[in-house]
Amino acid sequence: MAAVDTAPKSATPIVLPGLARALMSAGKLDQNAAEELVKKAQGARSTFIAELINGGTITSADLAHTISSVFGAPLIDVDALDTIRIPSDLLDAKICQAYRVAVLNKRGNRLIIATADPTDHEAAEKIKFTTQMGVDWIIAEYDKLGRFVEKVTKGATEALDSIVSGGDFEFGDVPVEETADAQDVGQNDVEDAPIVKFLQKMLIDAFNMRASDLHFEPYEHNYRVRFRVDGELREISSPPPAIKEKLASRIKVISRLDISEKRVPQDGRMKLKIGPERVIDFRVSTLPTLFGEKIVIRILDPSSAKLGIEALGYEPEEKERLLNAIGRPYGMILVTGPTGSGKTVSLYTCLNLLNKPGVNISTAEDPSEINLPGVNQVNVNEKAGLTFATALKAFLRQDPDIIMVGEIRDLETADIAIKAAQTGHLVLSTLHTNDAPTTLTRMRNMGIAPFNIASSVILITAQRLARRLCGTCKEPADIPHEALVEAGYREEEIDGSWVTYKPVGCNACNNGYKGRVGIYEVMPISEEMQRIILQDGSALEIAKQARLEGVRSLRTSGLYKAKIGMTSLEEVLAVTNE
């Protein structure tokens, strides 16, 4: 009879996670306790670290200090961080919640991420695969990190998940001013409470982040919301595509647009009340795309026109030239630059300086962006026949002292504006050209006679907006001598007495930049320039004369801003061309 093997079979060995082995090596945990916690976590479908903290084996603070010491990783108190400054567009909120991690910053192609368990290889691989970036861990306390992740990820994306399922949420009572009634079309859509609150949250978040524009963009399989912060678009939220129709209807209703018309672009305005006295205006533009209406909302903060000329970034000699020009009783002042370069703010800053009880100011714009009390503002309406030229003709019968034309687009408008400048009126306007000298040749190409240009234009300002370096985290940049010369610095300037700076990134800024600063080319029209214009000279001849008279080009002005540490050389090269 064969013998029966009664010896007990060996149990399957328990594989200890990296965190358990680290705690054992530090003397904080023994083998048996670690194995028991692993078994408990497997039975409860939890994680080892959750069972470790919740079971009271070790405190969250003690664990964080131990892990920081064992792995030589920095330790951070996430309670001291401002959640508003934390980037929310670098890692999906669901990944942050699932692995209890939070992205704190980005440096190059690496993410700085707070975690309580740096041995979680699954989390690291998931993040690397999703973002295609490396991971640098910073240790945080498990309990605090959980609350912090909840605050950071509890935003618009989570809110809109509940919209589709019919849920509701609270964002606070900040009323949007109703400018139209939702009557026959889409009544339920436009009054859907979650949609209303989501739109309010987006507007308030954009204002708090100092954004200039909000983009609501529908695509075939997704929908995204982006803010333009310091001139750079950042993705803020990815709500479900199912809400695009309701959101578009809500925006169109309060902007006094036709919510039944989805085939042509529309323009409108709306307001947001922030507190009892603060009201912010928004300009709304809709555009039919393949998968729905794209909506862009521009924030029009009236306080930006009242900052004063010192806040715009003019250098002393540039400011003096501009003030001398707007102090003249007649003539034409032109501000030129691409869309979004701050031309409107510059013009309104000048108007604010000129706006006195004894002066009659009239403006024609498409549309009027900033409401300035004491100024007679007219919105151009080409469908109704109210063009820039029509408005200008009417202004001349209204006994004006100063006229501002939003943009000179055609010969008729230019001709009337020049006649006004020649007959005792100060005229301010804009043109879309690359720099100040080419503005004069552009006017010539529009069909304006050289004599009229020379006798009316008194000053041209070309401008760009460059991102301003964060004063908290900027660092000296090691730029080779050859690169500085190639950028435009003269050999005698590169004497080692100054350094350029580069962006780094911290909790107080946006990837190393905070706010924007103007770069200007302020060119008064001198007698010699008038002679060149009368001789039908080229933009190159005018530019050469401007340099002889001490007028800085846009590139030279930008290089000076980089030299004094206000912006980076990289940013100057990006926004100027030479």
Side-chain angles (χ1 to χ4, degrees), residues 206 209-215 226-235 298-299 338-342 464-468 510-511 513-517 571 574-575:
M209 292 173 67
R210 307 184 311 278
S212 60
D213 301 88
L214 300 82
H215 292 240
R226 295 192 292 174
F227 293 172
R228 188 176 292 279
V229 182
D230 295 337
E232 185 179 55
L233 277 172
R234 296 174 56 190
E235 186 168 340
R298 169 156 289 189
I299 300 176
T339 301
S341 60
R464 300 289 188 276
L465 287 179
R467 290 180 293 173
R468 189 190 295 265
N510 177 28
N511 295 328
Y513 295 98
K514 186 176 182 181
R516 290 194 282 180
V517 63
E571 184 71 4
V575 300

mmCIF file of all heavy atoms in Angstrom, residues 206 209-215 226-235 298-299 338-342 464-468 510-511 513-517 571 574-575:
data_model
loop_
_atom_site.group_PDB
_atom_site.id
_atom_site.type_symbol
_atom_site.label_atom_id
_atom_site.label_comp_id
_atom_site.label_asym_id
_atom_site.label_seq_id
_atom_site.Cartn_x
_atom_site.Cartn_y
_atom_site.Cartn_z
ATOM 1 N N ALA A 206 -12.093 82.275 -15.605
ATOM 2 C CA ALA A 206 -11.310 83.007 -16.609
ATOM 3 C C ALA A 206 -10.895 84.367 -16.076
ATOM 4 O O ALA A 206 -9.752 84.801 -16.250
ATOM 5 C CB ALA A 206 -12.115 83.158 -17.894
ATOM 6 N N MET A 209 -8.160 84.008 -13.460
ATOM 7 C CA MET A 209 -6.881 83.589 -14.043
ATOM 8 C C MET A 209 -6.287 84.672 -14.947
ATOM 9 O O MET A 209 -5.289 84.453 -15.609
ATOM 10 C CB MET A 209 -7.059 82.294 -14.840
ATOM 11 C CG MET A 209 -7.380 81.079 -13.986
ATOM 12 S SD MET A 209 -7.773 79.615 -14.980
ATOM 13 C CE MET A 209 -6.182 79.296 -15.748
ATOM 14 N N ARG A 210 -6.958 85.834 -15.023
ATOM 15 C CA ARG A 210 -6.513 86.952 -15.862
ATOM 16 C C ARG A 210 -6.497 86.568 -17.343
ATOM 17 O O ARG A 210 -5.634 86.996 -18.108
ATOM 18 C CB ARG A 210 -5.132 87.466 -15.444
ATOM 19 C CG ARG A 210 -4.984 87.811 -13.986
ATOM 20 C CD ARG A 210 -3.612 88.392 -13.683
ATOM 21 N NE ARG A 210 -2.527 87.593 -14.225
ATOM 22 C CZ ARG A 210 -2.024 86.519 -13.640
ATOM 23 N NH1 ARG A 210 -2.497 86.103 -12.478
ATOM 24 N NH2 ARG A 210 -1.036 85.857 -14.202
ATOM 25 N N ALA A 211 -7.446 85.728 -17.752
ATOM 26 C CA ALA A 211 -7.536 85.314 -19.157
ATOM 27 C C ALA A 211 -8.112 86.457 -19.988
ATOM 28 O O ALA A 211 -8.874 87.287 -19.489
ATOM 29 C CB ALA A 211 -8.410 84.074 -19.292
ATOM 30 N N SER A 212 -7.745 86.491 -21.265
ATOM 31 C CA SER A 212 -8.292 87.498 -22.164
ATOM 32 C C SER A 212 -9.437 86.950 -23.010
ATOM 33 O O SER A 212 -10.308 87.698 -23.440
ATOM 34 C CB SER A 212 -7.195 88.048 -23.083
ATOM 35 O OG SER A 212 -6.642 86.999 -23.861
ATOM 36 N N ASP A 213 -9.443 85.629 -23.248
ATOM 37 C CA ASP A 213 -10.470 85.010 -24.085
ATOM 38 C C ASP A 213 -10.809 83.624 -23.560
ATOM 39 O O ASP A 213 -9.978 82.943 -22.952
ATOM 40 C CB ASP A 213 -9.980 84.867 -25.534
ATOM 41 C CG ASP A 213 -9.614 86.187 -26.175
ATOM 42 O OD1 ASP A 213 -8.453 86.618 -26.030
ATOM 43 O OD2 ASP A 213 -10.492 86.797 -26.792
ATOM 44 N N LEU A 214 -12.059 83.205 -23.824
ATOM 45 C CA LEU A 214 -12.499 81.837 -23.553
ATOM 46 C C LEU A 214 -12.906 81.213 -24.888
ATOM 47 O O LEU A 214 -13.638 81.831 -25.668
ATOM 48 C CB LEU A 214 -13.706 81.779 -22.608
ATOM 49 C CG LEU A 214 -13.599 82.351 -21.200
ATOM 50 C CD1 LEU A 214 -13.816 83.867 -21.207
ATOM 51 C CD2 LEU A 214 -14.646 81.705 -20.297
ATOM 52 N N HIS A 215 -12.464 79.995 -25.152
ATOM 53 C CA HIS A 215 -12.809 79.279 -26.387
ATOM 54 C C HIS A 215 -13.618 78.035 -26.033
ATOM 55 O O HIS A 215 -13.126 77.177 -25.290
ATOM 56 C CB HIS A 215 -11.545 78.862 -27.138
ATOM 57 C CG HIS A 215 -10.759 80.006 -27.697
ATOM 58 N ND1 HIS A 215 -10.517 80.144 -29.038
ATOM 59 C CD2 HIS A 215 -10.175 81.073 -27.106
ATOM 60 C CE1 HIS A 215 -9.805 81.244 -29.253
ATOM 61 N NE2 HIS A 215 -9.581 81.825 -28.083
ATOM 62 N N ARG A 226 -10.941 76.239 -23.622
ATOM 63 C CA ARG A 226 -9.579 76.758 -23.444
ATOM 64 C C ARG A 226 -9.635 78.231 -23.070
ATOM 65 O O ARG A 226 -10.520 78.960 -23.515
ATOM 66 C CB ARG A 226 -8.759 76.581 -24.734
ATOM 67 C CG ARG A 226 -8.515 75.144 -25.108
ATOM 68 C CD ARG A 226 -7.466 75.006 -26.209
ATOM 69 N NE ARG A 226 -7.929 75.528 -27.489
ATOM 70 C CZ ARG A 226 -7.156 75.633 -28.564
ATOM 71 N NH1 ARG A 226 -5.880 75.263 -28.501
ATOM 72 N NH2 ARG A 226 -7.639 76.106 -29.699
ATOM 73 N N PHE A 227 -8.679 78.646 -22.239
ATOM 74 C CA PHE A 227 -8.527 80.052 -21.865
ATOM 75 C C PHE A 227 -7.222 80.564 -22.471
ATOM 76 O O PHE A 227 -6.221 79.837 -22.506
ATOM 77 C CB PHE A 227 -8.428 80.227 -20.342
ATOM 78 C CG PHE A 227 -9.685 79.894 -19.579
ATOM 79 C CD1 PHE A 227 -9.666 79.857 -18.188
ATOM 80 C CD2 PHE A 227 -10.884 79.608 -20.221
ATOM 81 C CE1 PHE A 227 -10.800 79.551 -17.467
ATOM 82 C CE2 PHE A 227 -12.020 79.289 -19.516
ATOM 83 C CZ PHE A 227 -11.980 79.261 -18.132
ATOM 84 N N ARG A 228 -7.230 81.816 -22.940
ATOM 85 C CA ARG A 228 -5.982 82.447 -23.359
ATOM 86 C C ARG A 228 -5.454 83.261 -22.179
ATOM 87 O O ARG A 228 -6.009 84.300 -21.831
ATOM 88 C CB ARG A 228 -6.193 83.339 -24.582
ATOM 89 C CG ARG A 228 -4.875 83.861 -25.155
ATOM 90 C CD ARG A 228 -5.083 84.669 -26.420
ATOM 91 N NE ARG A 228 -5.548 83.867 -27.525
ATOM 92 C CZ ARG A 228 -4.771 83.117 -28.302
ATOM 93 N NH1 ARG A 228 -3.469 83.046 -28.058
ATOM 94 N NH2 ARG A 228 -5.278 82.432 -29.308
ATOM 95 N N VAL A 229 -4.399 82.754 -21.573
ATOM 96 C CA VAL A 229 -3.793 83.385 -20.399
ATOM 97 C C VAL A 229 -2.407 83.891 -20.791
ATOM 98 O O VAL A 229 -1.571 83.108 -21.257
ATOM 99 C CB VAL A 229 -3.692 82.405 -19.215
ATOM 100 C CG1 VAL A 229 -3.106 83.101 -17.991
ATOM 101 C CG2 VAL A 229 -5.055 81.815 -18.884
ATOM 102 N N ASP A 230 -2.181 85.188 -20.627
ATOM 103 C CA ASP A 230 -0.909 85.814 -21.017
ATOM 104 C C ASP A 230 -0.554 85.496 -22.467
ATOM 105 O O ASP A 230 0.604 85.230 -22.807
ATOM 106 C CB ASP A 230 0.229 85.362 -20.087
ATOM 107 C CG ASP A 230 0.023 85.839 -18.661
ATOM 108 O OD1 ASP A 230 -0.703 86.829 -18.475
ATOM 109 O OD2 ASP A 230 0.569 85.216 -17.731
ATOM 110 N N GLY A 231 -1.567 85.495 -23.322
ATOM 111 C CA GLY A 231 -1.340 85.293 -24.744
ATOM 112 C C GLY A 231 -1.216 83.850 -25.172
ATOM 113 O O GLY A 231 -1.070 83.560 -26.356
ATOM 114 N N GLU A 232 -1.300 82.899 -24.244
ATOM 115 C CA GLU A 232 -1.109 81.486 -24.556
ATOM 116 C C GLU A 232 -2.386 80.708 -24.235
ATOM 117 O O GLU A 232 -2.954 80.846 -23.157
ATOM 118 C CB GLU A 232 0.063 80.934 -23.739
ATOM 119 C CG GLU A 232 0.429 79.515 -24.069
ATOM 120 C CD GLU A 232 1.618 79.035 -23.247
ATOM 121 O OE1 GLU A 232 1.554 79.117 -22.006
ATOM 122 O OE2 GLU A 232 2.602 78.570 -23.837
ATOM 123 N N LEU A 233 -2.847 79.887 -25.183
ATOM 124 C CA LEU A 233 -4.065 79.100 -24.971
ATOM 125 C C LEU A 233 -3.761 77.899 -24.081
ATOM 126 O O LEU A 233 -2.787 77.171 -24.311
ATOM 127 C CB LEU A 233 -4.637 78.628 -26.303
ATOM 128 C CG LEU A 233 -5.517 79.623 -27.057
ATOM 129 C CD1 LEU A 233 -5.861 79.090 -28.440
ATOM 130 C CD2 LEU A 233 -6.797 79.932 -26.286
ATOM 131 N N ARG A 234 -4.621 77.686 -23.066
ATOM 132 C CA ARG A 234 -4.475 76.545 -22.164
ATOM 133 C C ARG A 234 -5.806 75.810 -22.063
ATOM 134 O O ARG A 234 -6.857 76.425 -21.879
ATOM 135 C CB ARG A 234 -4.069 77.014 -20.764
ATOM 136 C CG ARG A 234 -2.720 77.687 -20.686
ATOM 137 C CD ARG A 234 -2.481 78.232 -19.293
ATOM 138 N NE ARG A 234 -2.594 77.207 -18.278
ATOM 139 C CZ ARG A 234 -2.614 77.436 -16.970
ATOM 140 N NH1 ARG A 234 -2.542 78.674 -16.532
ATOM 141 N NH2 ARG A 234 -2.712 76.449 -16.105
ATOM 142 N N GLU A 235 -5.756 74.481 -22.207
ATOM 143 C CA GLU A 235 -6.989 73.693 -22.067
ATOM 144 C C GLU A 235 -7.367 73.612 -20.592
ATOM 145 O O GLU A 235 -6.569 73.218 -19.745
ATOM 146 C CB GLU A 235 -6.802 72.295 -22.649
ATOM 147 C CG GLU A 235 -8.097 71.498 -22.659
ATOM 148 C CD GLU A 235 -8.015 70.222 -23.483
ATOM 149 O OE1 GLU A 235 -7.117 70.122 -24.351
ATOM 150 O OE2 GLU A 235 -8.849 69.329 -23.259
ATOM 151 N N ARG A 298 -14.576 87.172 -25.389
ATOM 152 C CA ARG A 298 -13.457 88.044 -24.986
ATOM 153 C C ARG A 298 -13.850 88.848 -23.754
ATOM 154 O O ARG A 298 -14.946 89.414 -23.689
ATOM 155 C CB ARG A 298 -13.072 88.986 -26.124
ATOM 156 C CG ARG A 298 -12.108 90.079 -25.699
ATOM 157 C CD ARG A 298 -11.302 90.619 -26.844
ATOM 158 N NE ARG A 298 -10.318 89.634 -27.309
ATOM 159 C CZ ARG A 298 -9.366 89.906 -28.186
ATOM 160 N NH1 ARG A 298 -9.261 91.113 -28.701
ATOM 161 N NH2 ARG A 298 -8.511 88.978 -28.556
ATOM 162 N N ILE A 299 -12.957 88.882 -22.784
ATOM 163 C CA ILE A 299 -13.205 89.633 -21.554
ATOM 164 C C ILE A 299 -12.812 91.085 -21.781
ATOM 165 O O ILE A 299 -11.679 91.380 -22.154
ATOM 166 C CB ILE A 299 -12.416 89.039 -20.375
ATOM 167 C CG1 ILE A 299 -12.834 87.589 -20.138
ATOM 168 C CG2 ILE A 299 -12.621 89.867 -19.111
ATOM 169 C CD1 ILE A 299 -12.041 86.889 -19.060
ATOM 170 N N PRO A 338 -0.870 93.398 -34.848
ATOM 171 C CA PRO A 338 -1.823 92.319 -35.119
ATOM 172 C C PRO A 338 -2.956 92.292 -34.105
ATOM 173 O O PRO A 338 -2.912 92.987 -33.079
ATOM 174 C CB PRO A 338 -0.964 91.055 -35.016
ATOM 175 C CG PRO A 338 0.147 91.436 -34.091
ATOM 176 C CD PRO A 338 0.416 92.884 -34.352
ATOM 177 N N THR A 339 -3.969 91.478 -34.366
ATOM 178 C CA THR A 339 -5.076 91.295 -33.427
ATOM 179 C C THR A 339 -4.536 90.770 -32.098
ATOM 180 O O THR A 339 -3.708 89.860 -32.060
ATOM 181 C CB THR A 339 -6.097 90.296 -34.005
ATOM 182 O OG1 THR A 339 -6.568 90.797 -35.249
ATOM 183 C CG2 THR A 339 -7.270 90.106 -33.054
ATOM 184 N N GLY A 340 -5.004 91.355 -31.006
ATOM 185 C CA GLY A 340 -4.565 90.917 -29.685
ATOM 186 C C GLY A 340 -3.271 91.530 -29.205
ATOM 187 O O GLY A 340 -2.684 91.069 -28.225
ATOM 188 N N SER A 341 -2.809 92.592 -29.878
ATOM 189 C CA SER A 341 -1.543 93.213 -29.462
ATOM 190 C C SER A 341 -1.751 94.396 -28.522
ATOM 191 O O SER A 341 -0.797 95.087 -28.185
ATOM 192 C CB SER A 341 -0.750 93.671 -30.694
ATOM 193 O OG SER A 341 -1.486 94.625 -31.451
ATOM 194 N N GLY A 342 -2.994 94.644 -28.106
ATOM 195 C CA GLY A 342 -3.252 95.693 -27.117
ATOM 196 C C GLY A 342 -3.518 97.067 -27.696
ATOM 197 O O GLY A 342 -3.422 98.071 -26.985
ATOM 198 N N ARG A 464 3.515 95.269 -29.775
ATOM 199 C CA ARG A 464 3.304 93.842 -29.540
ATOM 200 C C ARG A 464 3.169 93.638 -28.032
ATOM 201 O O ARG A 464 3.591 94.484 -27.242
ATOM 202 C CB ARG A 464 4.482 93.007 -30.040
ATOM 203 C CG ARG A 464 4.786 93.111 -31.513
ATOM 204 C CD ARG A 464 3.745 92.421 -32.374
ATOM 205 N NE ARG A 464 4.190 92.380 -33.760
ATOM 206 C CZ ARG A 464 4.035 93.366 -34.623
ATOM 207 N NH1 ARG A 464 3.472 94.498 -34.241
ATOM 208 N NH2 ARG A 464 4.439 93.244 -35.873
ATOM 209 N N LEU A 465 2.609 92.515 -27.647
ATOM 210 C CA LEU A 465 2.547 92.150 -26.236
ATOM 211 C C LEU A 465 3.425 90.931 -26.004
ATOM 212 O O LEU A 465 3.248 89.891 -26.656
ATOM 213 C CB LEU A 465 1.107 91.850 -25.808
ATOM 214 C CG LEU A 465 0.172 93.051 -25.668
ATOM 215 C CD1 LEU A 465 -1.225 92.585 -25.269
ATOM 216 C CD2 LEU A 465 0.701 94.039 -24.647
ATOM 217 N N ALA A 466 4.383 91.047 -25.098
ATOM 218 C CA ALA A 466 5.259 89.929 -24.736
ATOM 219 C C ALA A 466 4.930 89.495 -23.314
ATOM 220 O O ALA A 466 4.565 90.310 -22.473
ATOM 221 C CB ALA A 466 6.728 90.348 -24.834
ATOM 222 N N ARG A 467 5.057 88.204 -23.069
ATOM 223 C CA ARG A 467 4.804 87.708 -21.716
ATOM 224 C C ARG A 467 5.894 88.204 -20.758
ATOM 225 O O ARG A 467 7.077 88.179 -21.086
ATOM 226 C CB ARG A 467 4.749 86.178 -21.713
ATOM 227 C CG ARG A 467 3.514 85.624 -22.398
ATOM 228 C CD ARG A 467 3.493 84.107 -22.375
ATOM 229 N NE ARG A 467 4.560 83.545 -23.203
ATOM 230 C CZ ARG A 467 4.847 82.251 -23.251
ATOM 231 N NH1 ARG A 467 4.167 81.396 -22.509
ATOM 232 N NH2 ARG A 467 5.816 81.816 -24.030
ATOM 233 N N ARG A 468 5.459 88.632 -19.587
ATOM 234 C CA ARG A 468 6.377 89.163 -18.575
ATOM 235 C C ARG A 468 6.898 88.023 -17.702
ATOM 236 O O ARG A 468 6.115 87.172 -17.249
ATOM 237 C CB ARG A 468 5.636 90.186 -17.712
ATOM 238 C CG ARG A 468 6.523 90.967 -16.759
ATOM 239 C CD ARG A 468 5.669 91.772 -15.791
ATOM 240 N NE ARG A 468 4.894 92.798 -16.436
ATOM 241 C CZ ARG A 468 5.261 94.069 -16.551
ATOM 242 N NH1 ARG A 468 6.407 94.445 -16.038
ATOM 243 N NH2 ARG A 468 4.460 94.939 -17.146
ATOM 244 N N ASN A 510 2.431 81.287 -14.663
ATOM 245 C CA ASN A 510 1.995 80.394 -15.729
ATOM 246 C C ASN A 510 3.219 79.991 -16.554
ATOM 247 O O ASN A 510 3.625 80.697 -17.471
ATOM 248 C CB ASN A 510 0.957 81.117 -16.609
ATOM 249 C CG ASN A 510 0.512 80.283 -17.782
ATOM 250 O OD1 ASN A 510 0.519 79.056 -17.723
ATOM 251 N ND2 ASN A 510 0.137 80.945 -18.864
ATOM 252 N N ASN A 511 3.822 78.847 -16.187
ATOM 253 C CA ASN A 511 5.010 78.340 -16.884
ATOM 254 C C ASN A 511 6.144 79.362 -16.940
ATOM 255 O O ASN A 511 6.840 79.488 -17.955
ATOM 256 C CB ASN A 511 4.650 77.888 -18.304
ATOM 257 C CG ASN A 511 3.702 76.703 -18.312
ATOM 258 O OD1 ASN A 511 3.745 75.863 -17.420
ATOM 259 N ND2 ASN A 511 2.837 76.640 -19.304
ATOM 260 N N TYR A 513 5.865 82.706 -16.610
ATOM 261 C CA TYR A 513 5.454 84.054 -17.005
ATOM 262 C C TYR A 513 4.232 84.477 -16.191
ATOM 263 O O TYR A 513 3.391 83.662 -15.823
ATOM 264 C CB TYR A 513 5.099 84.099 -18.493
ATOM 265 C CG TYR A 513 6.266 83.832 -19.411
ATOM 266 C CD1 TYR A 513 6.481 82.571 -19.955
ATOM 267 C CD2 TYR A 513 7.170 84.844 -19.742
ATOM 268 C CE1 TYR A 513 7.553 82.314 -20.807
ATOM 269 C CE2 TYR A 513 8.244 84.604 -20.600
ATOM 270 C CZ TYR A 513 8.425 83.333 -21.119
ATOM 271 O OH TYR A 513 9.483 83.101 -21.962
ATOM 272 N N LYS A 514 4.133 85.782 -15.945
ATOM 273 C CA LYS A 514 2.992 86.311 -15.205
ATOM 274 C C LYS A 514 2.663 87.696 -15.742
ATOM 275 O O LYS A 514 3.392 88.650 -15.521
ATOM 276 C CB LYS A 514 3.310 86.379 -13.708
ATOM 277 C CG LYS A 514 2.117 86.792 -12.852
ATOM 278 C CD LYS A 514 2.476 86.751 -11.379
ATOM 279 C CE LYS A 514 1.281 87.107 -10.502
ATOM 280 N NZ LYS A 514 1.631 87.087 -9.072
ATOM 281 N N GLY A 515 1.553 87.795 -16.482
ATOM 282 C CA GLY A 515 1.165 89.064 -17.079
ATOM 283 C C GLY A 515 1.911 89.315 -18.381
ATOM 284 O O GLY A 515 2.715 88.491 -18.836
ATOM 285 N N ARG A 516 1.635 90.470 -18.994
ATOM 286 C CA ARG A 516 2.290 90.821 -20.250
ATOM 287 C C ARG A 516 2.768 92.267 -20.212
ATOM 288 O O ARG A 516 2.288 93.073 -19.420
ATOM 289 C CB ARG A 516 1.337 90.606 -21.436
ATOM 290 C CG ARG A 516 1.074 89.142 -21.708
ATOM 291 C CD ARG A 516 0.418 88.907 -23.046
ATOM 292 N NE ARG A 516 -0.993 89.206 -23.039
ATOM 293 C CZ ARG A 516 -1.773 89.077 -24.101
ATOM 294 N NH1 ARG A 516 -1.279 88.668 -25.250
ATOM 295 N NH2 ARG A 516 -3.064 89.361 -24.031
ATOM 296 N N VAL A 517 3.720 92.569 -21.080
ATOM 297 C CA VAL A 517 4.275 93.915 -21.152
ATOM 298 C C VAL A 517 4.317 94.330 -22.616
ATOM 299 O O VAL A 517 4.534 93.502 -23.507
ATOM 300 C CB VAL A 517 5.681 93.963 -20.513
ATOM 301 C CG1 VAL A 517 6.651 93.080 -21.279
ATOM 302 C CG2 VAL A 517 6.193 95.381 -20.430
ATOM 303 N N GLU A 571 11.071 85.014 -25.820
ATOM 304 C CA GLU A 571 9.773 85.652 -26.032
ATOM 305 C C GLU A 571 9.898 86.834 -26.985
ATOM 306 O O GLU A 571 9.035 87.043 -27.843
ATOM 307 C CB GLU A 571 9.211 86.112 -24.681
ATOM 308 C CG GLU A 571 7.815 86.705 -24.747
ATOM 309 C CD GLU A 571 6.724 85.707 -25.021
ATOM 310 O OE1 GLU A 571 7.017 84.495 -25.088
ATOM 311 O OE2 GLU A 571 5.569 86.123 -25.194
ATOM 312 N N ALA A 574 10.098 85.664 -30.467
ATOM 313 C CA ALA A 574 8.832 85.084 -30.923
ATOM 314 C C ALA A 574 7.825 86.151 -31.350
ATOM 315 O O ALA A 574 7.038 85.927 -32.273
ATOM 316 C CB ALA A 574 8.228 84.216 -29.812
ATOM 317 N N VAL A 575 7.824 87.307 -30.693
ATOM 318 C CA VAL A 575 6.782 88.306 -30.971
ATOM 319 C C VAL A 575 7.239 89.424 -31.895
ATOM 320 O O VAL A 575 6.432 90.240 -32.327
ATOM 321 C CB VAL A 575 6.224 88.924 -29.661
ATOM 322 C CG1 VAL A 575 5.624 87.860 -28.769
ATOM 323 C CG2 VAL A 575 7.292 89.713 -28.918
#
